[in-house]
Amino acid sequence: MSGIKGKVIVITGASSGIGEAAARLLARSGAHVVLGARRTDKLEKLVGAINSEGGSARYRPLDVTRREDVEAFVEFARATFGRVDVIINNAGVMPLSGLEELKVDEWNRMIDVNIRGVLHGIAAGLPVMKKQGRGQFINVSSIGGHRVSPTAAVYCATKFAVNAISEGLRLEAGSDIRVTVISPGVTESELADSITDPAARDRMKEFRRIAIPADAVARAILYAIEQPDDVDVSEVIVRPTANKN
């Protein structure tokens, strides 16, 4: 199925930021969107807004760190619409801090959400897509998956891992499965709200002055999905024009 109209698109981390922007844009473009996140109050409002505008949206509570949650989420999409065409593994956290601060619980949270969450999405979706004979994974990484910066060592490590997992999936999945990595630069979102380290928080506040809107990343996601079936957009890097690093 080329294009986007009528595709069933599953989005994790859909309650705000890039996930919310992608849900709105993809629904306006004719897709059926199935949205997952922990904050169901926000999902309910988002789905209501999309449906009231003539779009097609459903939601289900989701914690991507729980494999059974992700499997139930993907099955909900398949049962509701008959198939799953695209899985957007978007959920992520970014509690930056220097390694010497030893915020081990925050390190583990990033590993659980940013890496295991993506793997759980792949584990839930790959058998469905293989049975269908087609599908696409879009894994949201970061420019932090290309370059390490102070206070971001663990976060960047998780995004390097997303890139490696995505490339491995692309090589192994065969010609019927497309795999795309979207690597945003600094983007308007709630990611920075999880930073508890004062120095890292202040540094990020300064960095985010040139942030691009989440809709800019959503448009890159749309571009990757709407390509013909024989075109696999492997990676898109989207960042502020003012950011030359």
Side-chain angles (χ1 to χ4, degrees):
M1 179 189 294
S2 297
I4 190 168
K5 188 173 179 61
K7 281 190 172 177
V8 180
I9 302 177
V10 169
I11 308 174
T12 72
S15 60
S16 65
I18 293 169
E20 177 184 354
R24 292 181 183 275
L25 179 60
L26 298 175
R28 287 199 303 269
S29 302
H32 304 287
V33 295
V34 181
L35 314 180
R38 290 176 300 159
R39 296 180 296 180
T40 54
D41 57 331
K42 289 183 175 291
L43 289 179
E44 184 176 5
K45 290 179 182 178
L46 176 57
V47 166
I50 290 172
N51 289 334
S52 69
E53 294 170 1
S56 174
R58 303 289 190 276
Y59 79 91
R60 183 182 173 92
L62 175 65
D63 179 351
V64 298
T65 69
R66 296 171 54 86
R67 181 179 177 183
E68 59 271 26
D69 261 27
V70 183
E71 289 179 342
F73 177 55
V74 172
E75 174 55 25
F76 169 72
R78 191 207 62 77
T80 302
F81 292 108
R83 65 181 187 277
V84 175
D85 297 301
V86 184
I87 292 180
I88 302 176
N89 287 309
N90 167 72
V93 293
M94 190 183 67
L96 305 182
S97 64
L99 291 172
E100 66 180 6
E101 300 299 325
L102 300 180
K103 292 182 177 288
V104 178
D105 289 344
E106 293 184 358
W107 300 349
N108 288 337
R109 179 65 178 162
M110 282 188 278
I111 291 167
D112 286 342
V113 176
N114 298 358
I115 301 178
R116 288 196 178 93
V118 171
L119 289 170
H120 289 164
I122 293 169
L126 192 56
V128 175
M129 293 181 185
K130 280 294 187 181
K131 187 174 182 179
Q132 294 172 169
R134 65 162 59 92
Q136 182 175 17
F137 288 94
I138 296 183
N139 298 329
V140 178
S141 181
S142 168
I143 57 170
H146 294 267
R147 181 173 180 268
V148 180
S149 57
T151 73
V154 178
Y155 175 76
C156 290
T158 66
K159 295 305 184 177
F160 271 81
V162 169
N163 293 353
I165 291 165
S166 301
E167 179 64 2
L169 178 62
R170 186 188 69 81
L171 293 170
E172 295 177 12
S175 59
D176 52 346
I177 307 293
R178 299 193 294 174
V179 181
T180 299
V181 175
I182 304 290
S183 295
V186 59
T187 305
E188 294 173 358
S189 73
E190 298 179 359
L191 269 181
D193 295 348
S194 62
I195 300 175
T196 61
D197 180 74
R201 186 168 57 244
D202 290 345
R203 186 172 183 271
M204 181 54 63
K205 187 181 298 183
E206 179 67 25
F207 186 53
R208 292 175 72 84
R209 288 184 179 183
I210 59 170
I212 56 176
D215 186 64
V217 184
R219 291 195 300 272
I221 292 172
L222 171 62
Y223 170 79
I225 295 172
E226 66 184 0
Q227 298 307 303
D229 286 346
D230 61 347
V231 176
D232 191 358
V233 178
S234 297
E235 182 174 16
V236 180
I237 299 176
V238 186
R239 57 182 147 198
T241 304
N243 182 2
K244 301 303 182 183
N245 293 323

